[in-house]
């Protein structure tokens, strides 16, 4: 057909881009607490213009089609008018959330010929896109960055606001991006983005401000019990009438706990990142968490769960304190599901599609009234509950659950003279010093013996108890008498030995003396009075 013919048309004018072969960009999914590398494959297929996403995507991933198409156009780039198929491999892993927006958009740009394939070599890309191309916050950046380094990736492209979190992983170049247009200019060599460099001078704010022990009047024996609990990582149950200071004492507990190691901080930060509860501007959690859920919480909210399981409160309290106020008011099923995590320090959530395991090495601090009216055994105000009502109320806490709580302490009413006095108690800093010294003894003991995964005495297994909790002859007799008189279970026997070991560590004693064992026995449950 001649050029000047009225039927002639120059089809080359439609080719405003140069199509290339299949584009491949690497991203990451989070399954439980671990990352899984996801290969984002983008290619053309036959059909009307549009985009199809396969590879077990959820609704949020499916909606990437609209976000990516609009973001690419608003970044000043041409979106191909072809049928595009996006495959997220491996197909057996469910993909959830909008973190795949940025790698899909980058794959489309490469497929359209705007960028060469080699620009994403050894690079992991994650990020959510807004319609104007701005890259939004994405949860789970820390485990994704750890997975990237473990799989040999040299750099990672993340939202600018999440760069500090990704930079916690060493030997990984972090590229913080504000928008899709900025990332395109960087990869095209027009305007390079400097890798993120963390500042060691940044002061991280704690998630919870604890009460200072010096502000608490009286209750010296309870403070001693909490000091022992902090030194060994033991669980505590406080029983007392309303207003006796149980909640105030519990809220002071984080102030005497030792500082977290960098490994513990990364472990806790990983959980908060996956749960999307990492505060803005806090890439690393350096202070021990304190969680205080309301008693109306469901069992899934406490231990974790959902169609796609997420960490619950016991995992968010990992390496910190879980405070359950009004202990008997929690549902029976809610409390009983804690029994296995309190022993194993992890919680496994099983679903038809598989099982996920979350860390749950928390320290339980529980508080309760002795009866329904709250004044059973009070020195001033009489109890109005019948004996059967008291018994029924106290038996809301099962025996097996009580057996897993090392320290049971009564919190009596505080006298007026102590409340109104000017005497200031010992500060949290002074108590923390003794707690830290005891923890240092434990760390040295467990590291020299090769006991992996054990940080404090409460974590000891039967083998460690046999090695480090040997009793002298006098202590053997005392323990034999206690086992007979108190009808202690084998679990209670081991917990008493671990508690005595902590008391000995606070005293700087290599051996467990009879006085240490006697103090440990005082904390056993004498509280079920009905």
């Amino acid at each position: 057909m001649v050029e000047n013919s009225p039927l002639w048309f120059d089809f080359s004018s439609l080719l405003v881009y140069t199509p290339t072969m299949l584009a491949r960009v690497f991203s990451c999914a989070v399954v439980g607490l671990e990352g899984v590398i996801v290969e984002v494959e983008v290619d053309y297929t036959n059909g009307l213009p549009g985009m199809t996403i396969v590879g077990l995507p959820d609704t949020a991933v499916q909606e990437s089609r609209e976000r990516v198409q609009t973001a690419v156009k608003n970044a000043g780039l041409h979106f191909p008018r072809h049928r595009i198929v996006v495959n997220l491999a491996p197909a057996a892993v469910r993909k959830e959330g909008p973190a795949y927006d940025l790698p899909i958009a980058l794959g489309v740009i490469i497929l359209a010929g705007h960028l060469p394939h080699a620009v994403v070599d050894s690079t992991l890309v994650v990020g959510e896109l807004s319609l104007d191309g701005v890259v939004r916050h994405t949860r789970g950046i820390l485990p994704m960055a750890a997975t990237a380094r473990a799989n040999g990736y040299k750099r990672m492209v993340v939202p600018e606001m999440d760069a500090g979190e990704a930079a916690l992983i060493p030997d990984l170049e972090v590229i913080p991006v504000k928008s899709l247009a900025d990332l395109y200019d960087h990869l095209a060599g027009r305007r390079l983005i400097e890798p993120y460099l963390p500042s060691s001078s940044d002061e991280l704010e704690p998630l919870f401000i604890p009460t200072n022990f010096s502000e608490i009047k009286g209750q010296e024996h309870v403070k001693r019990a909490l000091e022992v609990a902090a030194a060994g990582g033991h669980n505590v149950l406080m029983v007392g009438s309303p207003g006796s200071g149980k909640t105030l004492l519990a809220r002071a507990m984080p102030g005497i706990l030792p500082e977290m190691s960098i490994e513990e901080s990364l472990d806790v930060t990983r959980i908060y990142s996956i749960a999307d509860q990492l505060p803005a501007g806090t890439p690393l959690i350096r202070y021990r968490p304190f969680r205080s859920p309301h008693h109306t919480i469901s069992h899934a909210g406490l231990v974790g769960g959902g169609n796609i399981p997420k960490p619950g409160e016991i995992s968010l309290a990992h390496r910190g304190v879980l405070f359950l106020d009004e202990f008997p008011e929690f549902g029976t099923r809610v409390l009983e599901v804690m029994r296995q995590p309190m022993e194993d320090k992890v919680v496994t959530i099983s679903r038809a599609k598989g099982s996920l395991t979350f860390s749950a090495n928390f320290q339980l601090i529980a508080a309760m009234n002795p009866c329904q009216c709250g004044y059973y055994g009070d020195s001033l105000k009489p109890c109005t509950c019948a004996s059967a009502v008291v018994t029924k109320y106290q038996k809301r806490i099962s025996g097996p659950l009580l057996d897993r709580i090392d320290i049971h302490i009564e919190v009596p009413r505080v006298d007026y003279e102590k409340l109104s006095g000017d005497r200031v108690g010992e500060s949290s800093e002074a108590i923390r010093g003794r707690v830290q010294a005891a923890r240092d003894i434990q760390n040295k003991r467990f590291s020299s013996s090769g006991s992996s995964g054990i940080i404090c005495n409460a974590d000891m297994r039967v083998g460690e108890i046999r090695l480090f909790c040997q009793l002298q002859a006098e202590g053997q007799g005392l323990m034999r008498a206690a086992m007979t008189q108190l009808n202690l279970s084998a679990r209670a026997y081991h917990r008493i030995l671990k508690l005595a070991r902590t008391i000995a560590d606070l005293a700087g004693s290599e051996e467990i003396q009879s006085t240490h064992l006697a103090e440990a026995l005082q904390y056993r449950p004498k509280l079920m009075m009905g």
Side-chain angles (χ1 to χ4, degrees):
M1 188 178 294
V2 294
E3 182 174 341
N4 294 328
S5 169
L7 297 179
W8 181 87
F9 184 78
D10 186 5
F11 286 93
S12 63
S13 62
L14 296 177
L15 300 179
V16 294
Y17 60 91
T18 304
T20 64
M21 62 179 182
L22 175 145
R24 184 178 285 108
V25 182
F26 292 95
S27 188
C28 192
V30 176
V31 180
L33 295 179
E34 303 298 329
V36 177
I37 298 297
V38 173
E39 191 174 333
V40 181
E41 300 174 317
V42 186
D43 203 354
Y44 296 125
T45 187
N46 295 327
L48 295 173
M51 181 185 291
T52 302
I53 301 177
V54 297
L56 210 58
D58 71 349
T59 304
V61 180
Q62 291 283 8
E63 292 173 348
S64 294
R65 296 172 297 186
E66 284 70 28
R67 290 194 297 269
V68 167
Q69 183 170 354
T70 308
V72 169
K73 290 180 179 178
N74 288 332
L77 301 170
H78 177 81
F79 192 90
R81 293 187 58 81
H82 281 266
R83 188 71 178 174
I84 297 174
V85 61
V86 178
N87 179 42
L88 305 178
V93 176
R94 183 169 180 80
K95 320 304 185 305
E96 61 163 337
Y100 306 101
D101 289 1
L102 191 58
I104 291 174
L106 191 56
V108 170
I109 292 172
I110 293 172
L111 184 69
H114 297 303
L115 289 172
H117 288 72
V119 296
V120 289
D121 289 347
S122 300
T123 303
L124 200 74
V125 183
V126 294
E128 175 186 351
L129 287 174
S130 61
L131 295 182
D132 60 356
V134 172
V135 183
R136 298 180 182 271
H137 157 75
T138 301
R139 70 176 184 89
I141 290 293
L142 183 59
M144 291 179 184
T147 302
R149 189 190 66 173
N151 285 271
Y153 290 88
K154 304 299 183 183
R155 69 192 62 83
M156 185 175 181
V157 175
V158 300
E160 185 182 42
M161 63 188 68
D162 298 325
E165 186 180 343
L168 295 174
I169 303 300
D171 304 324
L172 183 68
E173 183 181 297
V174 177
I175 306 298
V177 294
K178 294 181 180 179
S179 66
L180 179 60
D182 289 345
L183 178 60
Y184 172 74
D185 289 341
H186 170 77
L187 296 176
R190 298 175 182 174
R191 187 170 61 251
L192 297 180
I193 301 174
E194 292 295 326
Y196 180 85
L197 297 176
S199 175
S200 59
S201 61
D202 292 343
E203 185 66 25
L204 302 178
E205 292 294 328
L207 301 179
F208 174 81
I209 306 297
T211 304
N212 198 299
F213 266 79
S214 62
E215 301 172 2
I216 303 175
K217 303 291 186 179
Q219 309 294 13
E220 300 304 327
H221 70 295
V222 185
K223 294 179 183 178
R224 167 63 181 177
L226 293 180
E227 179 181 339
V228 173
H234 303 285
N235 301 321
V236 181
L237 173 61
M238 295 183 288
V239 181
S241 57
S244 58
K246 301 184 295 297
T247 302
L248 191 64
L249 286 159
R251 290 184 174 275
M253 185 71 176
I256 65 173
L257 292 173
E259 293 184 0
M260 287 197 294
S261 65
I262 187 62
E263 292 80 10
E264 289 178 301
S265 294
L266 289 172
D267 203 14
V268 173
T269 304
R270 179 193 298 261
I271 296 172
Y272 274 75
S273 176
I274 291 170
D276 203 15
Q277 294 199 26
L278 201 61
T282 306
L284 179 67
I285 296 177
R286 295 302 304 268
Y287 300 92
R288 296 191 181 272
F290 179 89
R291 306 293 299 186
S292 180
H294 193 260
H295 60 76
T296 56
I297 190 172
S298 66
H299 73 282
L302 188 65
V303 302
N307 293 330
I308 302 175
K310 297 291 192 303
E313 289 290 333
I314 64 173
S315 295
L316 294 171
H318 181 60
R319 297 300 180 191
V321 174
L322 176 68
F323 176 48
L324 301 184
D325 203 2
E326 306 297 341
F327 200 36
E329 300 300 329
F330 285 81
T332 302
R333 185 186 178 195
V334 172
L335 293 180
E336 294 306 307
V337 295
M338 289 200 307
R339 284 160 55 175
Q340 177 264 333
M342 289 173 68
E343 286 290 316
D344 299 340
K345 311 300 182 184
V346 295
V347 56
T348 301
I349 302 171
S350 298
R351 295 289 183 269
K353 298 178 181 178
S355 298
L356 295 177
T357 299
F358 297 112
S359 302
N361 192 354
F362 60 94
Q363 189 169 357
L364 174 65
I365 307 294
M368 63 177 283
N369 298 325
C371 66
Q372 205 157 14
C373 77
Y375 294 100
Y376 183 86
D378 189 75
S379 58
L380 296 179
K381 192 168 182 178
C383 174
T384 59
C385 299
S387 177
V389 174
V390 175
T391 302
K392 182 179 179 181
Y393 182 80
Q394 293 181 352
K395 287 194 177 297
R396 292 182 184 179
I397 312 300
S398 69
L401 184 58
L402 282 175
D403 208 29
R404 288 169 167 81
I405 300 178
D406 304 343
I407 297 177
H408 299 242
I409 192 74
E410 293 187 46
V411 185
R413 181 190 295 267
V414 182
D415 298 335
Y416 171 77
E417 287 73 17
K418 291 183 179 179
L419 283 174
S420 59
D422 296 331
R423 181 178 178 273
V424 177
E426 193 175 21
S427 67
S428 294
E429 290 75 16
I431 300 174
R432 189 196 299 125
R434 296 194 296 270
V435 169
Q436 185 65 62
R439 286 288 185 102
D440 291 341
I441 293 173
Q442 296 166 43
N443 290 334
K444 183 178 179 181
R445 177 188 299 131
F446 298 134
S447 60
S448 61
S449 66
S451 301
S452 61
I454 299 181
I455 296 177
C456 55
N457 287 335
D459 297 338
M460 283 193 292
R461 300 175 289 261
V462 176
E464 287 79 22
I465 294 173
R466 185 179 64 255
L467 285 175
F468 305 125
C469 300
Q470 297 180 0
L471 298 177
Q472 299 174 348
E474 187 178 356
Q476 290 280 8
L478 182 58
M479 179 61 85
R480 185 179 296 107
M483 288 286 292
T484 303
Q485 295 176 13
L486 299 178
N487 297 320
L488 298 177
S489 66
R491 181 189 293 114
Y493 169 75
H494 287 140
R495 288 186 176 273
I496 289 172
L497 289 179
K498 290 191 284 187
L499 198 55
R501 177 70 269 171
T502 299
I503 296 171
D505 290 340
L506 280 171
S509 174
E510 191 68 29
E511 301 290 336
I512 298 178
Q513 307 293 336
S514 58
T515 53
H516 306 146
L517 183 59
E519 182 179 353
L521 287 169
Q522 290 179 0
Y523 296 131
R524 287 315 299 163
K526 307 163 188 172
L527 305 170
M528 307 310 286
M529 297 168 264

